[in-house]
């Protein structure tokens, strides 16, 4: 049995939808005091009501907003024990059509936004004495590729590069930093890709199903427990075995 995280203050950026909402649900269910963050006030308020958590409208790509996120968690929940830096965007654009603005946008939210949030939360995470940072990266970039997502893949691999050095800088402060790498997780946004896309993805997953948002939430919860205190700078792939097959033939042999 793992030590309870009840009462701990947890920030989930991008907690208003999809995976982040699943992470927030799992932590709230474990008794944590959760602050979810997103840019859309209506979606944030609805998700907060549904989950029984607190919300803040903020944009993680802006430094002053990240400072406001940390300050709000301290004011409302007495500190920051866990930061789930999950907010991310994945617009589909081939390299041939990609503009400088497209690149800035994806790297601005996924990479800069992650770094700014971690930076803004450093003091309360250190004060916690058991501070945890959990990044939502992806298998796309660190392990796999998908046409249309070269900027996205670059951003998800960049998060891991950031993590490996930041984890060293944070270790003396008693803060750990790890990443979860989801495979294909069934979110509202993924459903929008259509049934053909979902069927193709399901067929590529040895465990035979897309992941649930709770699958990712549970992995984050584990990394936040006292029992995970000696794990830092690591990546936890949560993908139903999607990156395992060497070829389509290997998958067909199952
Ligand atoms: P999603 O359903 O589109 O949700 C994204 C969340 O991030 C929303 O709450 C969104 O709220 C928030 N967000 C986006 N930009 C933001 C910004 N600048 N500032 C603050 N909040 C912002 O996406 P998802 O599929 O759950 O993805 C969440 C994370 O998981 C991302 O980092 C993504 O790369 C990663 N991931 C997803 C999958 C998958 O299968 N779904 C697989 C691998 C990795 P607003 O739009 O209101 O701001």
């Amino acid at each position: 049995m793992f030590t309870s995280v009840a009462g701990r203050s947890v920030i989930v950026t991008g907690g208003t939808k999809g995976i982040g909402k699943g992470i927030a649900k799992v932590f709230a269910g474990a008794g944590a005091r959760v602050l979810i963050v997103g840019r859309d006030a209506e979606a944030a308020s609805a998700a907060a009501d549904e989950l029984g958590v607190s919300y803040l409208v903020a944009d993680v790509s802006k430094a002053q907003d990240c400072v406001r996120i940390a300050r709000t968690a301290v004011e409302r929940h007495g500190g920051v024990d866990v930061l789930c830096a999950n907010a991310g965007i994945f617009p589909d654009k081939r390299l041939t059509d990609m503009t400088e603005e497209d690149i800035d946008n994806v790297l601005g939210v996924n990479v800069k936004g992650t770094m700014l949030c971690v930076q803004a939360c450093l003091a309360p995470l250190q004060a916690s004495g058991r501070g945890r940072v959990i990044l939502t990266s992806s298998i796309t970039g660190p392990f796999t590729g998908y046409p249309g997502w070269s900027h996205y893949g670059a951003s998800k691999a960049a998060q891991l590069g950031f993590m490996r050095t930041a984890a060293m800088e944070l270790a003396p402060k008693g803060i750990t930093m790890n990443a979860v790498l989801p495979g294909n997780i069934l979110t509202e946004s993924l459903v929008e890709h259509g049934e053909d896309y979902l069927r193709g993805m399901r067929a590529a997953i040895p465990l035979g199903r897309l992941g649930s948002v709770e699958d990712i939430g549970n992995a984050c919860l584990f990394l936040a427990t006292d029992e995970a205190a000696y794990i830092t700078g690591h990546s936890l792939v949560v993908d139903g075995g999607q990156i395992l097959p060497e070829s389509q033939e290997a998958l067909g042999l199952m």
Side-chain angles (χ1 to χ4, degrees):
M1 191 63 181
F2 293 112
T3 311
S4 169
V5 299
R8 294 195 195 171
S9 170
V10 179
I11 296 172
V12 185
T13 67
T16 63
K17 274 203 308 185
I19 289 177
K21 193 173 162 197
I23 297 171
K25 182 179 168 195
V26 168
F27 275 101
R33 290 175 294 174
V34 180
L35 176 70
I36 58 171
V37 178
R39 293 162 303 175
D40 179 340
E42 216 174 297
S45 162
D49 279 353
E50 185 186 327
L51 301 178
V53 301
S54 184
Y55 78 92
L56 180 72
V57 176
D59 181 342
V60 296
S61 68
K62 298 191 166 70
Q64 68 272 28
D65 279 26
C66 293
V67 170
R68 203 157 50 80
I69 294 168
R71 198 192 312 128
T72 303
V74 171
E75 283 167 5
R76 293 189 197 164
H77 298 147
V80 180
D81 299 302
V82 182
L83 167 65
C84 295
N86 164 83
I89 54 171
F90 34 94
D92 185 331
K93 196 62 95 63
R94 295 283 173 132
L95 200 49
T96 42
D97 304 321
M98 201 177 280
T99 64
E100 185 178 357
E101 197 187 348
D102 291 328
I103 298 172
D104 282 345
N105 195 21
V106 169
L107 298 186
V109 176
N110 297 2
V111 185
K112 192 175 95 171
T114 298
M115 296 173 72
L116 290 174
C117 276
V118 172
Q119 235 183 355
C121 291
L122 279 186
L125 282 168
Q126 182 171 7
S128 154
R130 53 189 174 201
R132 300 295 163 82
V133 178
I134 303 160
L135 311 180
T136 308
S137 173
S138 176
I139 59 169
T140 310
F143 286 100
T144 62
Y146 201 96
W149 279 341
S150 61
H151 50 356
Y152 174 73
S155 76
K156 294 284 125 177
Q159 284 181 305
L160 301 186
F162 161 65
M163 173 185 74
R164 292 190 186 101
T165 289
M168 291 182 67
E169 293 186 19
L170 302 197
K173 301 177 190 297
I175 304 169
T176 69
M177 184 185 295
N178 294 287
V180 290
L181 279 59
N184 274 265
I185 307 301
L186 201 51
T187 59
E188 307 91 313
S189 307
L190 214 68
V191 168
E192 282 167 19
H193 283 77
E195 189 45 44
D196 279 353
Y197 174 87
L198 296 178
R199 196 178 310 111
M201 280 301 165
R202 232 176 267 128
I205 300 171
L207 284 179
R209 67 168 176 91
L210 272 75
S212 69
V213 294
E214 289 83 4
D215 286 327
I216 306 304
N218 288 327
C220 294
L221 181 63
F222 164 66
L223 290 169
T225 60
D226 289 350
E227 286 73 14
Y230 203 55
I231 303 172
T232 196
H234 276 278
S235 303
L236 180 54
V237 174
V238 188
D239 72 341
Q242 190 175 343
I243 62 170
L244 298 178
E246 288 185 15
S247 64
Q248 292 225 324
E249 193 201 1
L251 202 55
L253 291 173
M254 280 171 51

